[in-house]
């Protein structure tokens, strides 16, 4: 096999054909450990970069830095200039070690923590390229192989200096860096849109349902003026049933089995990424099938109180034993009732009611006692439909965001050697 053929990425911009050159980091730059600050020096003085400014990021944001006391000599010795790359030297979580963030501009009078190693090089000309090359599987595998574990997972300068990296010429670096940076900007834009919609939903939940002690909400659809009446969840439900205690098996393509972990914490959607089927004789399990208008509640554990409403497009779904099903009466709008379980009032009720000497929990009788304000049916259905449509819009934006993030992951592997 032609050696040069292994030194090129799967995807390239037109006009670039030369093989990439492999270099050890120790050959193309210098490393320096950061400063070990005494506790008394923290919280005042000059800006400094800590681990929190690196984890989950690929660029250091100088607007979020802490403060630490440092001398003029230390500010020179531990300086941060445009193009520096900061590696996490020590991390409680193994996957955190070796994470990287770029210093996008010279940060005057700014130093960095002793849990960080600075890498300074002029060999890689494009700063955007630096943001991504160290996150590739090729580099990450080397870092994890060279890391050592004690109380934390660590990596040192000597190990980092032996990390190999493939590099194209400067012009190709710039094109790759700019392209991936544009994708990051698009991801950020979609994340902001999603956050805005999620914040809007939270605000509407507080305005479209009455506050404690009141019988009318702050925000209503035109034409509705009657006060809301108080009902218990048990009064508007035909039954509360505990779920099916069954072993989960491989998904048989028909009988879906929903567990606590299958309900997304944020969107309250049924996550169909790891489906299972109940391992029992289902001929007598009709009572455990979910139907339109059914609402599920988690009855124990850290997720206690988490709710989910069955969607017709979910198909044939059975529910697990750690879930309680409330079957809402036809004269009440199930979507309205479900949205009521996303309010602060409901969360407060769960927080108080779930307190146990051991694991937190809420049983069927306690769920039935939850009190909520209910308007006439037409107003219920308008509120339920409106908030459901907003949820669908949020889900759409989340899927777009997830798609972009997956695209970026794939490109990181195909645009680098």
């Amino acid at each position: 096999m032609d050696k040069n053929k292994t030194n090129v990425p799967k995807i390239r911009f037109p006009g670039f054909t030369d093989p990439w050159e492999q270099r050890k980091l120790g050959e193309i730059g210098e490393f320096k450990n950061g400063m070990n600050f005494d506790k008394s020096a923290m919280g005042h003085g000059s800006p400094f970069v800590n681990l929190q400014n690196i984890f989950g990021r690929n660029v250091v944001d100088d607007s979020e830095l802490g403060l630490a006391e440092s001398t003029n000599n230390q500010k020179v010795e531990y300086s941060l200039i445009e193009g520096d790359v900061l590696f996490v030297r020590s991390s409680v979580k193994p996957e955190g070690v070796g994470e990287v963030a770029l210093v996008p501009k010279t940060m005057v009078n700014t130093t960095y923590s002793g849990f960080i190693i600075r890498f300074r090089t002029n060999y890689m000309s494009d700063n955007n390229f630096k943001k991504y090359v160290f996150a590739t599987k090729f580099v990450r595998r080397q870092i994890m192989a060279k890391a050592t574990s004690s109380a934390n997972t660590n990596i040192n300068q000597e190990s980092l200096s032996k990390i190999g990296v493939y590099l194209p010429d400067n012009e190709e670096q710039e094109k790759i860096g700019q392209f991936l940076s544009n994708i990051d900007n698009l991801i950020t834009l979609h994340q902001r849109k999603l956050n805005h919609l999620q914040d809007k939903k939270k605000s509407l939940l507080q305005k479209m349902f009455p506050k404690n002690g009141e019988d009318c909400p702050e925000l209503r659809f035109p034409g509705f003026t009657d006060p809301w009446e108080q009902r218990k969840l048990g009064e508007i439900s035909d039954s509360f049933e505990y779920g099916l205690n069954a072993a989960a098996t491989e998904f048989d393509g028909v009988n879906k089995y929903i567990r606590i972990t299958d309900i997304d914490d944020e969107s309250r959607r049924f996550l169909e990424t790891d489906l299972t089927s109940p391992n029992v004789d289902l001929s007598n399990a009709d009572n455990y099938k979910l139907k339109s208008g059914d609402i599920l509640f988690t009855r124990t554990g850290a997720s206690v109180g988490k709710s989910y409403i069955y969607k017709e497009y979910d198909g044939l779904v059975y529910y697990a034993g750690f879930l309680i099903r409330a079957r809402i009466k036809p004269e009440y709008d199930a979507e309205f009732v479900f949205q009521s379980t996303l309010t602060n009032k409901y969360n407060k009720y769960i927080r108080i009611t779930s307190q146990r000497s051991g694991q937190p929990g809420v049983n069927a009788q306690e769920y039935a006692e939850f009190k909520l304000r209910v308007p006439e049916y037409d107003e219920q259905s308008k509120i339920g439909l409106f908030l459901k449509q907003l949820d669908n819009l949020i889900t759409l934006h989340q899927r777009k965001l997830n798609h972009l993030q997956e695209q970026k992951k794939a490109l990181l592997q195909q645009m680098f050697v």
Side-chain angles (χ1 to χ4, degrees), residues 285-307:
D286 284 353
N287 194 48
Y288 300 105
K289 293 178 183 177
L290 293 176
K291 299 178 181 179
S292 181
D294 285 353
I295 299 176
L296 292 180
F297 299 92
T298 305
R299 65 183 178 90
T300 189
S303 297
V304 65
K306 186 162 65 173
S307 57

Side-chain angles (χ1 to χ4, degrees), residues 215-217 220 224-230 373-376 379:
D215 57 13
C216 289
R220 302 184 80 168
F224 297 104
T225 57
D226 291 342
W228 293 22
E229 297 181 357
Q230 183 170 277
R373 291 280 178 177
V374 180
E376 60 178 274
E379 189 172 5

Side-chain angles (χ1 to χ4, degrees), residues 57-70:
R57 308 160 186 249
N58 60 4
V59 175
V60 177
D61 184 350
D62 64 351
S63 68
E64 299 180 355
L65 302 184
L67 299 176
E69 196 68 46
S70 55

Side-chain angles (χ1 to χ4, degrees), residues 159-325:
S159 295
L160 286 175
S161 70
K162 297 175 182 177
I163 298 293
V165 60
Y166 284 95
L167 301 173
D169 63 34
N170 291 344
E171 186 180 357
E172 191 170 4
Q173 286 183 38
E174 290 171 8
K175 282 188 174 293
I176 292 170
Q178 187 59 57
F179 177 76
L180 290 173
S181 185
N182 289 341
I183 291 181
D184 267 349
N185 292 338
L186 193 58
I187 288 173
T188 299
L189 179 64
H190 276 75
Q191 185 67 65
R192 286 174 181 165
K193 288 181 179 179
L194 178 62
N195 293 343
H196 174 73
L197 283 172
Q198 290 171 332
D199 290 342
K200 189 72 174 176
K201 170 75 187 294
K202 290 176 183 177
S203 175
L204 287 170
L205 280 172
Q206 306 316 313
K207 293 180 179 180
M208 297 183 75
F209 291 86
K211 294 182 173 61
N212 284 337
E214 299 182 5
D215 57 13
C216 289
E218 178 182 341
L219 189 63
R220 302 184 80 168
F221 287 99
F224 297 104
T225 57
D226 291 342
W228 293 22
E229 297 181 357
Q230 183 170 277
R231 293 286 186 272
K232 291 182 179 180
L233 188 57
E235 295 173 346
I236 62 178
S237 305
D238 281 327
S239 64
F240 281 81
E241 299 290 344
Y242 289 94
L244 180 67
N245 289 309
T249 60
E250 290 186 10
F251 182 46
D252 62 10
V254 178
N255 300 293
K256 302 175 185 178
Y257 187 56
I258 188 169
R259 305 152 301 182
I260 296 170
T261 52
D262 295 321
I263 304 172
D264 183 69
D265 289 332
E266 186 67 34
S267 68
R268 302 298 172 95
R269 297 274 172 168
F270 181 14
L271 301 176
E272 301 191 21
T273 52
D274 188 24
L275 292 181
T276 58
S277 298
N279 186 20
V280 294
D281 178 7
L282 294 172
S283 60
N284 296 315
D286 284 353
N287 194 48
Y288 300 105
K289 293 178 183 177
L290 293 176
K291 299 178 181 179
S292 181
D294 285 353
I295 299 176
L296 292 180
F297 299 92
T298 305
R299 65 183 178 90
T300 189
S303 297
V304 65
K306 186 162 65 173
S307 57
Y308 162 82
I309 185 170
Y310 172 79
K311 312 290 194 306
E312 289 77 2
Y313 52 74
D314 287 339
L316 180 60
V317 183
Y318 297 88
Y319 59 102
F322 284 102
L323 298 169
I324 299 171
R325 183 209 65 209

Side-chain angles (χ1 to χ4, degrees), residues 321-332:
F322 284 102
L323 298 169
I324 299 171
R325 183 209 65 209
R327 183 150 286 169
I328 306 302
K329 292 179 179 179
E331 57 265 35
Y332 293 93

